[in-house]
Amino acid sequence: MAIYAALITLQCFIVLACISIFSPTIAASDPPLTLDYYRSTCPNVFDIVRKEMECHVLSDPRNAAFVVRLHFHDCFVQGCDGSILLDDTIDLQGEKKASTNGLKSLKGFTIIDKIKNKLESECPGIVSCADLLTIAARDAVILVGGPYWDVPVGRKDSKTASPDLANQNIPTANEGLLGIISKFLYQGLSVTDMVALSGAHTIGMARCENFRARIYGDFGATSGVNPLSDSYLRELKSVCPAVGGSGDNNVTAMDNVTPDLFDNSFYHTLLKGEGLLNSDQELYSSVLGIETRKLVNKYAADPAAFFNQFSDSMVKLGNITNSDSFVNGEVRKNCRFVNT
């Protein structure tokens, strides 16, 4: 056991060493984000975004998860700079077709388009798409029962995108715990941030392609001998056939108890060994997850602790900046295209 523990410690040390060497740093000269950035130029920006998000979430609660996921995928590539929103053009390859994104995986772009149109009517050329998406993600969480947090603003939109960084930086559904931790540390986010932000999977759906390996792999081992778990597993297999193909795009809720409510039910799912994605269940079941297991237990037992940490971690996520965009960025008129 002592040798095994030493090997685990060595693995973690190697990950941390690599992160310290290769992790990007936010330039000290980056303009600070502030709560009142639009006070004089577009004072109604928060109200406009909130009202639009209310309409979209009321029409379909799944829209909340779509927008939150867009924000996460944006911030993990070049910082929170709206690069995820860019379409492919002759001169630019966007991130939407990256394997970690995929046209059938990321949704919510039309929601952002509609909000942007409202903002351009009210305050033309003022509010960046990066800020719009960050505010909308906060409102999406609130509208399905989640916590409030203040959103600092003042981001600029990038003129570039990076599908390569999208494939490199964004955690995948079947990734192991050390790989996931390394990707969060690379962004300046802690293990605590990682476990708290993973709680966003209490809302939203997953595609069969992303949970097939889990349900035909170790799902039975982590959930144990339990008639309810067996029934749930049979249900999942009916949605997602073992052989890839026509069923790849079938979806099911990542939280099968309260899929449209932002709460701590996700962590109770992990305690039962029923996490839909391997990357989620790793937080609790991995032999390397000593710290993450403690946090899962904490958030399952104390929803207020989860909400408080989730709010703090979302602010940290939103504060991952693209230093280049502050210098060379812009405020896009259309979130899908760089200004001409």
Side-chain angles (χ1 to χ4, degrees), residues 67-216:
V67 171
V68 172
R69 190 159 183 253
L70 277 181
H71 177 52
F72 179 89
H73 282 234
D74 183 37
C75 294
F76 261 55
V77 183
Q78 301 187 165
C80 309
D81 62 358
S83 61
I84 188 62
L85 304 173
L86 289 169
D87 284 350
D88 289 352
T89 66
I90 296 175
D91 302 317
L92 182 144
Q93 184 180 4
E95 298 160 12
K96 295 179 181 180
K97 295 180 182 178
S99 62
T100 50
N101 293 329
L103 287 176
K104 295 179 180 178
S105 177
L106 282 182
K107 299 181 180 180
F109 297 106
T110 58
I111 297 173
I112 302 305
D113 291 340
K114 291 177 181 178
I115 299 174
K116 180 60 172 174
N117 288 338
K118 290 283 186 179
L119 288 171
E120 285 298 301
S121 296
E122 177 90 5
C123 323
I126 298 298
V127 180
S128 69
C129 299
D131 276 345
L132 183 171
L133 180 55
T134 307
I135 299 167
R138 187 274 308 273
D139 292 343
V141 170
I142 294 172
L143 289 165
V144 288
Y148 171 90
W149 63 92
D150 289 324
V151 178
V153 288
R155 301 164 188 82
K156 296 299 182 184
D157 296 323
S158 69
K159 297 179 181 179
T160 64
S162 178
D164 290 337
L165 281 180
N167 289 328
Q168 176 182 316
N169 291 0
I170 297 172
T172 60
N174 293 310
E175 195 152 2
L177 184 62
L178 286 181
I180 303 167
I181 290 174
S182 70
K183 289 180 177 180
F184 274 78
L185 292 176
Y186 184 80
Q187 303 296 340
L189 299 169
S190 68
V191 170
T192 299
D193 295 320
M194 178 189 73
V195 178
L197 291 172
S198 296
H201 286 174
T202 189
I203 56 174
M205 314 288 279
R207 296 168 62 226
C208 165
E209 185 177 42
N210 289 325
F211 63 85
R212 177 181 285 118
R214 164 81 173 130
I215 64 174
Y216 291 99

